[in-house]
Each structure stands twice: as C-alpha cells, then as structure tokens.
C-alpha cells in the first residue's frame, strides 16, 4: 500500500478495567484520546486521491461522537470486554470499514491509532 491519507479526531470516554494487571485503572476513570484514521490504497482513483478527506473526516467524527462522553462500561457493544486502547482501535477501525464504500477512493486498508498521551499510543490495522 504505497498511498496513505490520515484524518484526525479525538475521543473522551469513561471506563474501568477488570484484572489486577490494571492496578488503579480498575476503578472508573476518564480517558482522552487523539484518534488518527489512516486509509491505504495501492492505487489512486480516477481523481488522483486515496479517499475523500471530507467524507473520511465526517465518518470518523460520527464514530468518535457516538462514543464520546460515554461510560463504555455501560455500552452493550463492549459488554464483558476491557475497553483497552487496543480494543478501541479495533472497534473504530471495524466501524470505519463498514463505511468504506461511502468514502470514495479504492481503499485497501484502514489503520486506527489512538494516542493516550504524547508518549504512548496503540494501533490496529486491517485490510479491506
């Protein structure tokens, strides 16, 4: 995939984790993430683009907006799941993949990166 276009948004959630490995994060806490969604293509489309940036930005904003200011512990989509950064990356990537046909371009992959801070982040990449 020689071509990539990335759009950015943010996400603010509350959640808690199960398991001793998480220490104090087992208690309910807030998290703010910077979210990067990268769209990959092997070739540019007839208009010379990977993806319509406006549509990609809007799709990402719809997805992050549906999760923002929510307690993910109460979200049925995440029932019984630790909503780690890695899990959230996959969930957002999968939701974007469901909308790939609406975004224009000839997409071959989506990678979602959630930045927990300026020194820690996680990514999930999936083919289309």
């Amino acid at each position: 995939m020689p071509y990539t276009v990335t759009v950015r948004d943010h996400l603010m959630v509350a959640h808690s984790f199960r398991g001793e490995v998480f220490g104090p994060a087992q208690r309910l806490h807030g998290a703010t993430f910077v979210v990067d969604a990268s769209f990959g293509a092997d070739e540019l489309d007839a208009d010379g683009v990977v993806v319509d940036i406006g549509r990609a930005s809007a799709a990402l904003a719809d997805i992050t907006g549906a999760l923002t200011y929510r307690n993910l512990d109460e979200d049925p989509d995440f029932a019984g799941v630790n909503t780690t950064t890695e899990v959230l990356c996959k969930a957002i990537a999968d939701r974007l993949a469901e909308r790939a046909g609406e975004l224009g371009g000839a997409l071959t992959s989506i990678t979602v990166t959630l930045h927990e801070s300026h020194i820690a982040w996680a990514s999930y990449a999936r083919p289309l």
Side-chain angles (χ1 to χ4, degrees), residues 32-123:
T32 300
F33 300 97
V34 172
V35 183
D36 289 330
S38 298
F39 300 87
D42 294 329
E43 301 290 333
L44 299 179
D45 72 5
D47 296 313
V49 300
V50 170
V51 68
D52 181 304
I53 290 175
R55 290 180 190 168
S57 295
L60 181 60
D62 286 348
I63 292 164
T64 57
L67 297 170
T68 293
Y69 298 123
R70 304 268 317 269
N71 179 350
L72 299 182
D73 296 349
E74 299 172 352
D75 188 319
D77 289 344
F78 298 110
V81 176
N82 278 330
T83 51
T84 61
T85 305
E86 297 88 338
V87 166
L88 292 175
C89 285
K90 183 179 185 315
I92 293 169
D94 289 346
R95 291 174 186 190
L96 283 168
E98 290 172 2
R99 298 177 67 167
E102 306 166 19
L103 304 180
L107 299 176
T108 57
S109 67
I110 295 175
T111 301
V112 172
T113 301
L114 268 65
H115 302 263
E116 292 190 52
S117 71
H118 65 288
I119 60 171
W121 56 89
S123 297

